[in-house]
Amino acid sequence: MQTFVTTFLLCVCLVESSHHHYPEGSSNDHDWDIFTFTQEWPVAVCVLGTKEHHRCAIPPDVRTWGIHGLWPTKTGTRGPTSCNSQLHFDFRRIQSLVPMMKVLWPNMYADTSMESFWEHEWTKHGTCASSLAATSNEAMYFQKALDLAGTYGVSQLLAKENIVPSTSRTYRLEEIEVALTHQLGARAKVECTKDERTGKMMLYEVEICLDKQFNPVDCYQPNGSSDYHSDCPNSDLEYPPLATSGFISPITGVNRLLGPMIE
């Protein structure tokens, strides 16, 4: 089990770092000014996980974009991270949140323990968020992220602009970015990963930037001064439905048994 958890945490670190284009902050600098609220499309998570030799299964209760994390961020960097080694993850403190977290913040890697994803996010990012009263302990941190998913859920934001999962329709990056800006009143970041089955890029993550009062703010400026460059192409972006992905677990509430079923 320890090997599974270690492998999972290493993989999550690589996934997080591979989709950011900002320098790391100093390990001793725990200053931050915004949150990066990151959500991920479950199909893309499993496509990426399969590339990294994980067994992946989307629980049938999962119907929307999932939370990746709520990350304290110093504008223009990827940090801070791992701010307090004394704030150990204690699963008992979020026990009452687990039913909702399984739906909104699922761990879809079937070869890792259910709580390993949450432990990683608390240790790396939650310990930094503890400096803010609204997220000052483990329960408050995870509850706030769940609340934000209700307010800024990407599935709803895109659906309001007629951008929905489809087996036949593809999208332009600009139309997705414009849709998010229209709904949020601020610029979000969009990232993609390659679907090896089709050779096309698919939507993977959306990062929404929030101030410390949890209001949307621009993640980047449109004048070219930002270091942000989406890894999505300008057009032909896939947004595949969950139901036809081949990754849905057939057993309600179980995402620890089956590997991906790809035709």
Side-chain angles (χ1 to χ4, degrees):
M1 180 60 73
Q2 182 64 41
T3 301
F4 285 161
V5 173
T6 301
T7 302
F8 172 79
L9 295 181
L10 175 59
C11 182
V12 171
C13 292
L14 291 174
V15 169
E16 286 187 12
S17 63
S18 66
H19 288 277
H20 290 261
H21 309 276
Y22 293 128
E24 291 280 5
S26 166
S27 60
N28 296 319
D29 182 6
H30 296 161
D31 185 34
W32 58 279
D33 53 359
I34 62 172
F35 280 107
T36 302
F37 181 50
T38 304
Q39 297 170 68
E40 54 192 5
W41 185 234
V43 180
V45 173
C46 282
V47 165
L48 188 59
T50 301
K51 292 179 189 176
E52 295 166 347
H53 309 293
H54 277 284
R55 290 186 296 113
C56 194
I58 303 170
D61 295 337
V62 172
R63 308 285 172 81
T64 65
W65 286 65
I67 300 169
H68 187 164
L70 181 61
W71 304 336
T73 303
K74 180 68 174 177
T75 301
T77 74
R78 285 207 312 264
T81 59
S82 305
C83 294
N84 191 336
S85 61
Q86 302 303 310
L87 294 177
H88 301 292
F89 178 78
D90 185 346
F91 182 67
R92 296 170 297 180
R93 293 173 180 165
I94 59 169
Q95 200 89 46
S96 64
L97 303 179
V98 168
M100 189 60 69
M101 290 180 67
K102 285 182 176 180
V103 175
L104 296 179
W105 201 332
N107 175 8
M108 288 167 283
Y109 287 169
D111 50 4
T112 66
S113 65
M114 177 182 67
E115 68 272 15
S116 58
F117 184 18
W118 306 330
E119 179 178 7
H120 167 81
E121 291 299 312
W122 168 253
T123 301
K124 185 172 182 180
H125 303 288
T127 55
C128 300
S130 66
S131 63
L132 186 70
T135 51
S136 59
N137 61 48
E138 192 177 317
M140 294 175 71
Y141 171 74
F142 285 105
Q143 181 65 66
K144 176 54 72 174
L146 294 174
D147 293 343
L148 292 171
T151 305
Y152 303 121
V154 171
S155 291
Q156 303 96 296
L157 298 178
L158 292 179
K160 289 178 180 178
E161 300 286 329
N162 197 32
I163 296 175
V164 295
S166 173
T167 57
S168 58
R169 182 181 175 187
T170 59
Y171 297 93
R172 293 177 293 106
L173 175 61
E174 182 182 17
E175 95 183 276
I176 294 168
E177 290 178 332
V178 168
L180 291 168
T181 300
H182 184 239
Q183 289 295 315
L184 294 166
R187 298 176 183 86
K189 299 177 184 177
V190 180
E191 303 291 356
C192 297
T193 193
K194 187 175 183 180
D195 183 352
E196 299 293 349
R197 297 172 291 184
T198 64
K200 295 180 180 180
M201 298 291 280
M202 70 165 59
L203 288 178
Y204 167 51
E205 282 192 336
V206 169
E207 299 181 3
I208 298 172
C209 295
L210 307 168
D211 62 23
K212 290 185 177 182
Q213 288 73 48
F214 304 99
N215 301 306
V217 295
D218 286 338
C219 289
Y220 63 94
Q221 298 301 318
N223 57 13
S225 62
S226 171
D227 289 328
Y228 162 66
H229 303 286
S230 174
D231 56 7
C232 302
N234 291 328
S235 61
D236 214 20
L237 295 180
E238 292 183 335
Y239 185 12
L242 295 174
T244 59
S245 69
F247 291 106
I248 299 291
S249 168
I251 305 174
T252 301
V254 174
N255 66 334
R256 295 289 167 270
L257 301 178
L258 300 177
M261 299 168 284
I262 305 177
E263 298 180 356

